[in-house]
Amino acid sequence: MLTCSSTLDVNQTIPTLNMIALGIVILLSVGIPIYAFLVSKRQFLGRWQLLFFGATNFLVIEFFLTNLILFVPFLIPGFQNIPTKYPLLYSILCVLFVGAISEIGRYITLRIGLKEYPNIGTSAMFATGTASTHALILIAWNALQSLLICLTINQTGLQELVTAAGEEAEEMLTTLEPLFTVSWLTYLSSGIHVAANFVLHFSISMIFFAVIKNQAPSYLLGLAIGLRALYELPTYLYTYGILFPSAFVAELCVIAITVLIGYIGWTITHQYCAKDIENLHWDPYGGTPKKQAPFPKFNENIKK
């Protein structure tokens, strides 16, 4: 029996539950963005153009710029040892940086969008673009790749793939090992994270709308940065082996934090944006509310 240093048995197959969980993740990663777009379009009357603002915000600021800034310190000699020596301190500093960079970037980008389309639907569609890009590029695409690999392994057989890989067989087995060892609950947590991410982006985008358009207190910007940092904290703590025994438990903590963020966002939105929500039933793009025709009185036409 051929094995590698990872003790992976080349005669085993991928558990069915793992593949089902990956399929569910793909459905959630595609279905939730579609549903969010329909809600933003029909209920909040947002313009589809704001999807590109949100997508740009994610790609340029949350993905590229944030990762670049977090990577730069590792170019400093000796810094590579800090995350392992002080994992808790490093995790806290990282989430604060992520929160500050991401939310300052969101504030700037959303402010530009609100100059062109000054209504609450702008924030909803902007949040949809940001969260949808994250769901489709980082989660759905990775889950699809993993699912295709799982199907290939189960249909072809890992033994044949190892034989075909030749000298690169051990490296291939090391790469594939997580597909066999990771629990289906861990995969499923990625799908749950998609929903949590949408709640996060909707809530904070609505808070920023209240600050930008309705003169809500400026300290809410700091609150948004703190909420984002809190949202990211369980993931960083799990990554560095602090507090959480598994990714699924860390994701449960993220869900609890998401509920808190959603409640705060809901409360602030209804406190400072009540008129904007009411105007969704009238003219969503400003101007005088549309007049609704009065309902005719009973038997009025008969009397005439």
Side-chain angles (χ1 to χ4, degrees), residues 28-290:
L28 290 175
S29 301
V30 176
I32 293 178
I34 293 174
Y35 175 75
F37 172 77
L38 294 176
V39 170
S40 299
K41 182 69 176 176
R42 296 178 179 178
Q43 302 298 323
F44 288 91
L45 306 177
R47 297 288 187 93
W48 62 268
Q49 292 90 334
L50 272 303
L51 283 175
F52 296 102
F53 278 80
T56 301
N57 174 68
F58 174 77
L59 293 173
V60 175
I61 297 173
E62 296 205 5
F63 185 75
F64 176 75
L65 184 60
T66 301
N67 286 315
L68 177 64
I69 293 176
L70 291 178
F71 171 76
V72 167
F74 284 93
L75 300 177
I76 302 173
F79 186 86
Q80 294 86 345
N81 298 325
I82 291 181
T84 54
K85 288 183 177 180
Y86 312 101
L88 180 58
L89 177 61
Y90 179 74
S91 298
I92 293 174
L93 291 176
C94 278
V95 297
L96 289 175
F97 272 112
V98 170
I101 297 167
S102 300
E103 299 316 322
I104 291 174
R106 183 200 304 271
Y107 178 82
I108 295 172
T109 311
L110 184 56
R111 193 179 186 92
I112 295 172
L114 285 170
K115 287 183 179 179
E116 186 70 22
Y117 306 107
N119 63 88
I120 196 170
T122 294
S123 289
M125 194 64 78
F126 178 90
T128 298
T130 302
S132 296
T133 306
H134 175 272
L136 294 174
I137 292 180
L138 293 188
I139 298 182
W141 177 244
N142 289 335
L144 178 61
Q145 287 181 309
S146 296
L147 181 59
L148 291 175
I149 293 173
C150 291
L151 292 173
T152 301
I153 290 173
N154 284 2
Q155 290 179 359
T156 305
L158 188 57
Q159 179 70 61
E160 294 187 21
L161 295 176
V162 168
T163 303
E167 297 180 355
E168 300 178 356
E170 185 162 337
E171 181 181 353
M172 183 190 72
L173 288 173
T174 302
T175 303
L176 296 178
E177 187 172 4
L179 295 175
F180 294 89
T181 58
V182 173
S183 168
W184 64 273
L185 286 174
T186 301
Y187 289 121
L188 193 60
S189 67
S190 298
I192 299 173
H193 190 79
V194 173
N197 209 37
F198 270 87
V199 174
L200 168 77
H201 288 293
F202 264 84
S203 299
I204 295 183
S205 294
M206 290 300 174
I207 292 174
F208 283 175
F209 176 82
V211 174
I212 296 170
K213 300 303 296 182
N214 295 339
Q215 289 75 50
S218 58
Y219 70 80
L220 292 178
L221 300 177
L223 174 64
I225 293 174
L227 291 176
R228 180 61 181 269
L230 183 63
Y231 177 84
E232 301 287 349
L233 185 59
T235 301
Y236 276 85
L237 292 179
Y238 170 72
T239 300
Y240 291 100
I242 304 172
L243 188 62
F244 300 106
S246 68
F248 184 73
V249 175
E251 196 61 46
L252 290 178
C253 184
V254 171
I255 293 172
I257 294 171
T258 303
V259 172
L260 173 64
I261 294 173
Y263 173 76
I264 293 174
W266 177 273
T267 303
I268 292 175
T269 301
H270 281 267
Q271 180 178 355
Y272 294 101
C273 308
K275 188 175 181 180
D276 298 280
I277 296 174
E278 181 181 353
N279 286 342
L280 290 175
H281 303 289
W282 303 95
D283 183 0
Y285 302 113
T288 304
K290 298 176 181 177

